[in-house]
Amino acid sequence: MILSENKQKSIIEIIKKCGKNLLSAHDIGRNENDISSKEGAANFVTVYDVKTQDDLISGLKDVIPDALFFAEEQDNSMVDFKDSFCFFIDPIDGTTNFIHGMNMSAVSVALSYNGETVFGAVYDPYADEMFWASRGDGAYLNGKKIYVSNRSLENALIMFGTAPYDREVLAENFFPVLYRVYMNCADIRRSGSAALDLCYVACGRAEAYIEAILSPWDFAAGKLILEEAGGKLTSFNGNDIILGEKSSVLCSNTVLHSKMLGLINQ
């Protein structure tokens, strides 16, 4: 075990504590000083994103002092995580939901060692649900082991994203994919939080999740949780995803993975 149980518990407690930052926000969408824009359409950052990220980094440094940080609200161009411990942080996954008071956002933290993810946790403070996994030890929700479902495509609930930051480039080709998926499954859902969507597939609430492009902090923790729960995650071309790089994402309970790839690439 690369990460001791005590360190795992410490990381989980830090994430839960930082998640309370989200619960302290009120009427954030009404105060323009709380929100700024980043590159891409509808790509926002709030003072709560920045504070939560700073609080996470401060707390996690105490657990692993020599760890690096690959985090959404910073420049990661000089972060060489392949020969050390590195935390991948999304302080608020689902920022647009957060701004609108949708209560469907999460704190996502993964830890890699020499380029391989060894621990991941996704915390939904609104539902007080902590999803986490340690490589080789399974996936858990609030301490109870979780597994993907075994439903086939025709009975499946499929989660999806809309790649809003890259809509000008991706939307025209991606929405026909959603139509094909919709016509072959039970129904589709859009939550607005990629980290939670991955965890929902991991615990059997949905059977698959598709998104045309995600950043490393979006999927680093959820990918490990999904795989430890028995699921599968690839790019749209069926290849493994490379840690630290943006990618299209198809995650599933494995039962319907090949059929989903067929619909995506039809």
Side-chain angles (χ1 to χ4, degrees):
M1 180 183 294
I2 293 174
L3 198 64
S4 69
E5 289 187 12
N6 284 339
K7 287 186 181 295
Q8 291 179 34
K9 290 179 181 178
S10 295
I11 292 171
I12 288 172
E13 287 307 310
I14 290 165
I15 295 169
K16 291 188 74 171
K17 181 179 179 180
C18 292
K20 296 186 186 302
N21 290 340
L22 281 68
L23 300 179
S24 68
H26 300 286
D27 294 326
I28 186 170
R30 301 180 187 275
N31 188 347
E32 293 183 359
N33 294 326
D34 287 343
I35 306 169
S36 57
S37 296
K38 299 186 289 185
E39 183 180 355
N43 193 5
F44 305 111
V45 58
T46 73
V47 294
Y48 294 91
D49 291 84
V50 176
K51 174 175 172 49
T52 302
Q53 179 167 298
D54 289 347
D55 290 350
L56 284 166
I57 290 175
S58 177
L60 295 170
K61 278 182 177 178
D62 290 338
V63 181
I64 305 180
D66 59 345
L68 302 176
F69 292 88
F70 195 109
E72 182 174 14
E73 311 306 340
Q74 70 174 35
D75 180 5
N76 298 296
S77 59
M78 301 302 291
V79 180
D80 185 3
F81 59 86
K82 295 181 180 178
D83 296 311
S84 60
F85 280 107
C86 183
F87 285 102
F88 286 75
I89 295 175
D90 192 342
I92 301 180
D93 184 74
T95 299
T96 302
N97 284 351
F98 177 67
I99 291 170
H100 286 264
M102 290 287 290
N103 292 0
M104 182 63 73
S105 306
V107 180
S108 178
V109 176
L111 177 66
S112 69
Y113 179 69
N114 292 346
E116 181 182 58
T117 307
V118 295
F119 181 83
V122 173
Y123 180 55
D124 176 356
Y126 303 103
D128 193 24
E129 290 189 331
M130 173 65 75
F131 299 87
W132 65 274
S134 179
R135 182 166 295 280
D137 191 39
Y140 299 84
L141 167 55
N142 290 350
K144 183 178 180 180
K145 209 159 190 177
I146 56 174
Y147 303 92
V148 296
S149 77
N150 61 0
R151 295 185 185 93
S152 58
L153 182 58
E154 58 269 25
N155 297 313
L157 190 64
I158 310 297
M159 310 295 292
F160 69 93
T162 55
Y165 314 147
D166 300 276
R167 66 180 68 180
E168 295 295 331
V169 177
L170 299 173
E172 185 175 357
N173 291 326
F174 186 59
F175 274 79
V177 170
L178 292 177
Y179 174 76
R180 292 196 295 272
V181 170
Y182 176 59
M183 296 305 291
N184 284 274
C185 70
D187 209 343
I188 59 176
R189 295 286 186 273
R190 164 77 166 142
S191 79
S193 170
L196 289 177
D197 288 344
L198 290 165
C199 291
Y200 288 175
V201 176
C203 71
R205 293 176 183 171
E207 281 59 61
Y209 165 65
I210 56 173
E211 175 59 289
I213 191 165
L214 287 178
S215 294
W217 48 77
D218 293 315
F219 61 76
K223 180 177 186 293
L224 181 64
I225 294 167
L226 172 82
E227 291 173 345
E228 287 294 322
K232 183 175 183 178
L233 190 149
T234 69
S235 65
F236 282 1
N237 59 17
N239 293 334
D240 290 337
I241 287 176
I242 299 172
L243 187 64
E245 297 184 8
K246 289 185 176 182
S247 179
S248 56
V249 166
L250 165 63
C251 88
S252 80
N253 62 1
T254 73
V255 174
L256 44 74
H257 206 87
S258 61
K259 288 185 177 180
M260 287 289 293
L261 283 175
L263 291 171
I264 290 169
N265 294 293
Q266 186 173 308

